[in-house]
Amino acid sequence: EEISVRGITEVTKVDFEYAKMLGGTIKLIGCAQKVGDNKIAAYVSPTYVTNDDSLASVNGATNAIEIESSNLVSSTYIGQGAGRYPTANSCINDIVALAKGDKTQLPFNQKGDAKFVNDFDSVFFMRIGYRDALGITRQCGEICEKFGVSIHSILQNPVTNRDDAAFVIITEKVPVSSIKKAVAELESFDWCRGSIFAIPVLGEIYGSQ
């Protein structure tokens, strides 16, 4: 219940356009990572993924798990996660196991002393819708500086409607708690149109990490 979970309802065509400009795409990712001694952070969210990441090519009913470790660096396991044959296979295996009285170990490790923390560091992709006004870039810079959010770059496609436009800020690696504070204050400005869409970035984006 403590883990932040977001679906894909906030993702728009504009987000994919900017992701393509940056050399990547957007995928729904569930991520868990160590953030210190006996501390673990986790989230489920749309996430910017670079095209050279194996997760970028996972589509349809295919699922993938990417594991990073000090020994293996990065390993990816890919397989069908849905569809009639994978689902039927899992159901039959479970029925046969029950009929045989098989006993298996619990699927997860026993509880340890690791503590869940609802904060982690990442590069962030922030799509901001706006109405035309003076000083928008300056105010974005001031708010980001106020909460310790370093801006790596600002991207904007050609504007066709000045009252219905959006730009994207790519940050340096910062705590998600700082992003949330910056987003909340930016959304209070009259020029900010709708909610700001801020998502984590996996991998390097123009050397941001």
Side-chain angles (χ1 to χ4, degrees), residues 13 121 135 139 169 184 199 204 207:
K13 177 183 176 182
D121 290 353
Q139 289 178 326
I169 291 177
I199 58 175
E204 294 188 2

Side-chain angles (χ1 to χ4, degrees), residues 28-108:
L28 184 63
I29 301 288
C31 179
Q33 62 189 80
K34 292 179 67 176
V35 294
D37 293 337
N38 294 323
K39 293 181 180 179
I40 297 175
Y43 63 85
V44 177
S45 171
T47 303
Y48 172 87
V49 181
T50 56
N51 282 333
D52 59 0
D53 191 307
S54 57
L55 295 179
S57 60
V58 177
N59 297 299
T62 304
N63 289 343
I65 298 175
E66 186 174 80
I67 300 173
E68 294 186 0
S69 66
S70 56
N71 292 329
L72 297 177
V73 186
S74 179
S75 300
T76 304
Y77 306 89
I78 299 176
Q80 291 295 310
R84 56 179 180 171
Y85 293 120
T87 302
N89 180 72
S90 297
C91 291
I92 294 299
N93 282 341
D94 289 345
I95 292 170
V96 171
L98 287 171
K100 292 169 60 180
D102 290 347
K103 293 183 179 180
T104 58
Q105 296 180 347
L106 292 175
F108 302 106

Side-chain angles (χ1 to χ4, degrees), residues 102-123:
D102 290 347
K103 293 183 179 180
T104 58
Q105 296 180 347
L106 292 175
F108 302 106
N109 293 330
Q110 298 295 322
K111 290 185 177 180
D113 56 357
K115 179 182 178 182
F116 177 76
V117 291
N118 201 9
D119 200 7
F120 59 91
D121 290 353
S122 177
V123 173

Side-chain angles (χ1 to χ4, degrees), residues 157-165:
N157 283 328
V159 177
T160 56
N161 183 346
R162 300 185 70 85
D163 290 320
D164 184 18

Side-chain angles (χ1 to χ4, degrees), residues 139-191:
Q139 289 178 326
C140 285
E142 290 174 349
I143 296 305
C144 285
E145 180 182 13
K146 177 180 177 180
F147 294 107
V149 176
S150 179
I151 295 175
H152 180 270
S153 56
I154 299 178
L155 307 174
Q156 184 172 32
N157 283 328
V159 177
T160 56
N161 183 346
R162 300 185 70 85
D163 290 320
D164 184 18
F167 62 93
V168 165
I169 291 177
I170 303 299
T171 74
E172 299 288 352
K173 183 176 284 188
V174 295
V176 66
S177 55
S178 298
I179 289 292
K180 290 178 179 179
K181 293 174 184 176
V183 164
E185 190 144 338
L186 287 170
E187 288 178 344
S188 68
F189 289 110
D190 291 337
W191 54 259

